[in-house]
């Protein structure tokens, strides 16, 4: 589901770039710019049903809703139902740590419920990173990525489902 195809320029009928990939009960959000949390819910998936958030890079129009998503998962009555993986390119762990410190460590979760994965240059040069994400094996999917020339941490992703159909972002 294309949740947004816009840019950082706010428009009333267009959200920043983001895609929700659902394979059975596995839900992967690729990028989470401002307003995307609402778009996920509009698409019929609760944010507490997300298995993974993949970030292409750390510009706000691609990651600004990560904070509200993580914060909302701690809200009474809307708790996280399953572990969540937050993944991105080089600097992902530092990005998360800085965001968490900025908000007084209010984004911290039980390590069994949030795993922050930084795809290093070594991972990226190999292409297929499926082994870093056990949730993919459960739905027969694979994930590969490669660097892009936007920012040092920028990645493009390719998700392939069990039938061989692929989505490239």
């Amino acid at each position: 589901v294309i949740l947004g195809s816009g840019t950082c320029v706010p428009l009333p009928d267009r959200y920043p770039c983001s895609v929700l990939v659902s394979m059975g009960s596995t839900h992967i959000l690729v990028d989470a710019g401002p307003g995307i949390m609402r778009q996920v819910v509009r698409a019929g998936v609760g944010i507490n049903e997300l298995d993974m958030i993949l970030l292409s890079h750390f510009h706000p129009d691609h990651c600004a809703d990560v904070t509200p998503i993580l914060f909302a998962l701690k809200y009474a009555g809307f708790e996280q139902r399953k572990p969540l993986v937050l993944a991105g390119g080089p600097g992902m762990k530092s990005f998360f740590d800085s965001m968490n410190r900025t908000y007084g460590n209010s984004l911290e979760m039980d390590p069994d419920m949030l795993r922050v994965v930084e795809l290093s240059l070594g991972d990226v040069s190999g292409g297929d990173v499926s082994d870093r994400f056990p949730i993919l094996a459960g739905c027969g999917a694979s994930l590969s990525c490669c660097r892009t020339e936007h920012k040092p941490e920028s990645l493009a992703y390719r998700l392939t489902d069990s039938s061989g159909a692929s989505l490239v972002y």
Side-chain angles (χ1 to χ4, degrees):
V1 176
I2 297 171
L3 302 176
S5 61
T7 66
C8 62
V9 177
L11 297 171
D13 58 347
R14 201 158 176 205
Y15 289 83
C17 292
S18 180
V19 173
L20 176 65
V21 179
S22 296
M23 296 173 280
S25 63
T26 301
H27 304 288
I28 300 168
L29 181 62
V30 186
D31 277 348
I36 293 304
M37 181 166 64
R38 180 175 182 189
Q39 290 295 88
V40 170
V41 175
R42 278 184 160 173
V45 175
I47 60 164
N48 55 355
E49 297 176 82
L50 292 173
D51 294 281
M52 185 184 310
I53 300 173
L54 294 171
L55 297 180
S56 63
H57 63 289
F58 308 140
H59 276 158
D61 58 327
H62 291 263
C63 64
D65 261 13
V66 170
T67 298
I69 289 170
L70 296 178
F71 192 70
L73 289 174
K74 298 172 77 168
Y75 189 76
F78 194 68
E79 291 92 356
Q80 192 172 358
R81 294 183 187 170
K82 53 188 176 178
L84 177 66
V85 173
L86 176 61
M92 182 70 234
K93 289 183 179 179
S94 176
F95 172 77
F96 172 78
D97 289 342
S98 295
M99 188 171 49
N100 189 33
R101 277 192 314 274
T102 297
Y103 292 101
N105 297 320
S106 62
L107 305 179
E108 284 180 2
M109 293 183 193
D110 182 315
D112 292 334
M113 294 305 281
L114 178 64
R115 187 166 64 100
V116 179
V117 176
E118 181 171 317
L119 296 167
S120 69
L121 297 178
D123 295 329
V124 172
S125 66
D128 190 325
V129 293
S130 302
D131 61 333
R132 302 283 308 270
F133 306 101
I135 187 69
L136 296 174
C139 63
S142 65
L143 175 67
S144 58
C145 60
C146 67
R147 295 188 66 199
T148 63
E149 297 217 9
H150 184 53
K151 290 192 68 191
E153 76 276 3
S154 294
L155 298 177
Y157 296 104
R158 179 182 178 139
L159 277 162
T160 305
D161 71 11
S162 58
S163 74
S166 293
L167 169 116
V168 175
Y169 181 95

